[in-house]
Amino acid sequence: MPASSVTPSPATTPSPALTPPVAAPPTAAELLDFARRTAADRALVDSLPLDPEGRTWVRLDGPGGSEAWLIGWPPGTGTGWHDHAESFGAFATARGSLTEHSLAVRLPAGGWKTLELAEGLDRSRRLDAGDGRAFGRDHLHEVLNLSPDTHAVSVHAYYPPLPLIRRFSRTGAVLRLEQVERPEDWQ
């Protein structure tokens, strides 16, 4: 008997058992685990070219479609106040020490240029080599290398990949939206 084959008609849909599963997006905890493991990779960290005057970065493959970066921080440099739009993420220090200042506040989605902040919103933490932290959506912070003479290196991961970064200036309790950057501005 000749072998026969059955070709499904165009109206036939595959059964759920044949549909490949959709991978779940990474969690903030998984991004933190990735950042810590990557920060512990001495060969990778040592491969980052360091500039004495400005930050350097290399894009990495993050887990589950996330965006990841290896970043070098010359002494005395920082990010300035910024958020990550609707992305959550994590970062870990691989070398040196970084300081994070953050605000425990959820900013309005849009339609504002200046906000007066209430008292008691400021948070600060130091992250030495091996330390990391995860953060949720709408996280507003600045990250600094306060060392006068030592480079720092860190690993950052975001999900979904950053759609934009909003940059702010801060004078006392007044926070002002200064600039909106899109991926083409930093990639």
Side-chain angles (χ1 to χ4, degrees):
M1 216 161 40
S4 65
S5 66
V6 176
T7 304
S9 68
T12 304
T13 57
S15 72
L18 300 177
T19 304
V22 175
T27 64
E30 290 168 335
L31 293 179
L32 179 57
D33 180 60
F34 166 82
R36 284 186 170 141
R37 281 184 291 107
T38 305
D41 183 339
R42 289 291 118 216
L44 177 65
V45 171
D46 291 344
S47 74
L48 180 68
L50 300 176
D51 183 313
E53 296 180 21
R55 288 190 303 148
T56 55
W57 55 86
V58 173
R59 181 139 187 192
L60 304 172
D61 290 328
S66 65
E67 178 175 352
W69 299 89
L70 179 65
I71 301 176
W73 306 76
T77 60
T79 60
W81 288 97
H82 67 282
D83 71 4
H84 307 100
E86 294 297 314
S87 297
F88 60 89
F91 69 98
T93 304
R95 180 186 301 150
S97 180
L98 293 172
T99 298
E100 179 194 36
H101 299 294
S102 62
L103 293 173
V105 64
R106 183 177 181 138
L107 298 176
W112 65 276
K113 194 77 165 135
T114 303
L115 288 177
E116 179 126 8
L117 301 168
E119 288 190 30
L121 299 176
D122 288 285
R123 305 289 183 264
S124 186
R125 71 177 70 203
R126 179 179 162 148
L127 295 109
D128 295 321
D131 293 338
R133 62 113 65 246
F135 52 86
R137 290 177 164 83
D138 303 311
H139 183 67
L140 175 65
H141 69 167
E142 68 174 346
V143 179
L144 308 154
N145 177 3
L146 297 176
S147 171
D149 56 11
T150 304
H151 263 81
V153 177
S154 58
V155 177
H156 302 247
Y158 310 97
Y159 189 87
L162 297 172
L164 58 90
I165 293 176
R166 296 186 300 179
R167 298 212 174 265
F168 306 93
S169 63
R170 182 170 180 202
T171 307
V174 176
L175 186 70
R176 175 180 292 279
L177 176 63
E178 297 290 346
Q179 180 180 5
V180 176
E181 295 178 3
R182 307 237 179 257
E184 56 270 14
D185 297 326
W186 65 80
Q187 291 185 4

